[in-house]
Amino acid sequence: MAAKPFSARITRVACGVVLAAALLAAHASFAAVPVRVDGRRVLAHPGATVGETAAERLTAARGDLVAASDRRVLIRGAGEGPRVLRNGVPASTSDVVRPGDDIRVLRGKDVIEKTVERLETIPVPTEVTGKGALLTLAAPGMAGVARVVTGAVSGDVVASETVRPAEPMVLKRVIDTRRKKVALTFDDGPWPRQTEAIARILESEGVPATFFVIGKQVKAHPDIVRGLVQAGHVVGNHTYQHVDLSTSDGRRLASEIAETNRAIRAATGVTPRWIRPPGGAIDADAYEAAARQHLRVVLWTVDPQDWRRGKTAAQIEAEVVRATTPGAVILLHDGGGDRSQTIAALPGIIRQLRARGYEFVPLADLGVVKAAW
Ligand SMILES: [Zn+2]
């Protein structure tokens, strides 16, 4: 029986040690580690790393990816990672924090995007000289070359230099002023009733004319266009949808011209030889596209602006007569709106110019086309 109290004491002591150890362990696992992150007090978990403790600041302090041209931010946080100081000494994010640590997060550097360099074509500029209606090619021009540096992410042009300058295509407007010949041209048709009314006047006066027709209208009124050709007039191309050829891209250019040629051929069996760009807008690309489809470009020398609202027949007639010189190409309109004033002015224009010794001829007989076909 003497051994019993002894063993009971042993058991009590053992229990006390286990309890103390357990309490210590519990204390150790729950005690927070006080540190400062950029001056702010933070209680870190024991064993936490610098990276874990300052995680929010580390994300916010990443540098950005910026544009090479103006340093604007392209991708936030895509620059260099931040640097960390612990107690003033560079630290790794995997270091374990110790009580009283003063952690400072220094913003990462911005990274400038990479740049790419490439050679680019400088398009052929267009130079139009002279005062006649018919365009001829005086110089073909040559595309230039530029070296261009752009931002790989932004696409901004950072720098560019001309390696070889472009040479302009020179289009010369020619006119043969030796004889008193003039050509009448009508744009923006066919236009029901108006085109026929003009054709009747021309027929009764025995005057030939050229009609620059819009492709989609030819498709809608092929019979009117056929009638013009049967009456001996010339039909020219005025694009399919009356577009500005100088601002159309290459494909559009080609199709606007080709579709119109197709519509005219389908309606009349005749392939046009002339094109008048809407608005007279022509550049090197448009000229080349026309030339590839065997079309001569013709503008005008006399423009009474008969389409203007309020323009009277008397004004149209007076302006045409005053502006006409030998070799002139007169621009009038049979379509695009009410052309009753143009129709009313036409007989007077014909009689007055004839009285001054002018002869009306087709475009091809103006004397400036030298066996182009
Ligand atoms: Zn037009």
Side-chain angles (χ1 to χ4, degrees), residues 187-189 212 214 238 242 276-280 331 333:
D187 286 13
D188 298 353
F212 287 99
I214 296 169
H238 197 42
H242 206 264
R276 172 171 284 157
L331 168 63
H333 294 81

Side-chain angles (χ1 to χ4, degrees), residues 129-136 172-176 296 301 327 368:
T129 64
K131 289 188 161 52
L134 272 73
L135 281 189
T136 56
K172 193 170 174 205
R173 302 179 59 156
V174 293
I175 184 167
D176 182 349
R296 296 285 309 244
T301 63
V368 283

Side-chain angles (χ1 to χ4, degrees), residues 36 96 170:
R36 281 181 180 277
V96 173
V170 181

Side-chain angles (χ1 to χ4, degrees), residues 70-351:
D70 60 2
R71 303 294 190 267
R72 73 181 186 284
V73 174
L74 296 174
I75 304 175
R76 207 163 282 287
E80 284 184 9
R83 285 182 306 126
V84 183
L85 297 180
R86 176 163 56 172
N87 306 323
V89 180
S92 158
T93 51
S94 58
D95 293 349
V96 173
V97 291
R98 293 182 298 248
D101 274 353
D102 180 35
I103 297 166
R104 300 269 165 189
V105 177
L106 306 179
R107 192 176 180 280
K109 283 190 188 132
D110 289 342
V111 171
I112 299 169
E113 64 176 329
K114 287 195 171 56
T115 56
V116 285
E117 190 185 290
R118 63 172 186 276
L119 294 179
E120 267 184 12
T121 300
I122 303 172
V124 177
T126 315
E127 212 176 282
V128 180
T129 64
K131 289 188 161 52
L134 272 73
L135 281 189
T136 56
L137 187 63
M142 188 169 68
V145 180
R147 196 193 321 277
V148 181
V149 179
T150 55
V153 176
S154 65
D156 293 352
V157 173
V158 179
S160 72
E161 65 166 330
T162 301
V163 179
R164 192 185 70 216
E167 286 171 26
M169 171 184 278
V170 181
L171 299 172
K172 193 170 174 205
R173 302 179 59 156
V174 293
I175 184 167
D176 182 349
T177 57
R178 291 169 301 173
R179 289 176 204 85
K180 291 186 96 172
K181 291 180 176 180
V182 293
L184 277 179
T185 62
F186 296 91
D187 286 13
D188 298 353
W191 203 271
R193 288 178 294 284
Q194 296 185 160
T195 305
E196 293 104 314
I198 286 168
R200 277 194 296 276
I201 297 168
L202 296 174
E203 166 136 46
S204 69
E205 298 286 347
V207 168
T210 301
F211 291 80
F212 287 99
V213 294
I214 296 169
K216 66 174 181 195
Q217 287 162 221
V218 176
K219 215 155 188 185
H221 309 287
D223 47 324
I224 300 178
V225 185
R226 191 158 42 244
L228 292 173
V229 170
Q230 281 164 357
H233 299 299
V234 173
V235 172
N237 187 320
H238 197 42
T239 75
Y240 199 79
Q241 309 212 63
H242 206 264
V243 296
D244 181 339
L245 289 179
S246 67
T247 57
S248 304
D249 65 35
R251 264 174 80 144
R252 181 82 196 272
L253 268 178
S255 75
E256 279 284 334
I257 298 171
E259 291 279 297
T260 307
N261 274 5
R262 254 198 293 282
I264 293 171
R265 258 198 307 273
T268 67
V270 175
T271 300
R273 295 169 159 190
W274 304 92
I275 183 167
R276 172 171 284 157
I282 187 83
D283 64 5
D285 286 346
Y287 186 87
E288 265 183 8
R292 265 198 296 276
Q293 300 193 39
H294 311 292
L295 292 164
R296 296 285 309 244
V297 178
V298 59
L299 304 175
W300 56 83
T301 63
V302 177
D303 177 12
Q305 305 208 319
D306 62 331
W307 48 268
R308 270 195 197 283
R309 198 185 290 273
K311 205 85 185 226
T312 66
Q315 288 170 328
I316 296 168
E317 180 184 323
E319 284 175 36
V320 169
V321 171
R322 189 176 56 237
T324 298
T325 55
V329 173
I330 299 164
L331 168 63
L332 295 168
H333 294 81
D334 58 328
D338 172 21
R339 300 289 168 252
S340 54
Q341 297 305 303
T342 302
I343 296 166
L346 190 54
I349 290 171
I350 295 169
R351 277 170 220 156

Side-chain angles (χ1 to χ4, degrees), residues 344-360:
L346 190 54
I349 290 171
I350 295 169
R351 277 170 220 156
Q352 289 228 46
L353 290 180
R354 276 182 168 158
R356 285 163 171 73
Y358 284 101
E359 180 195 354
F360 290 93

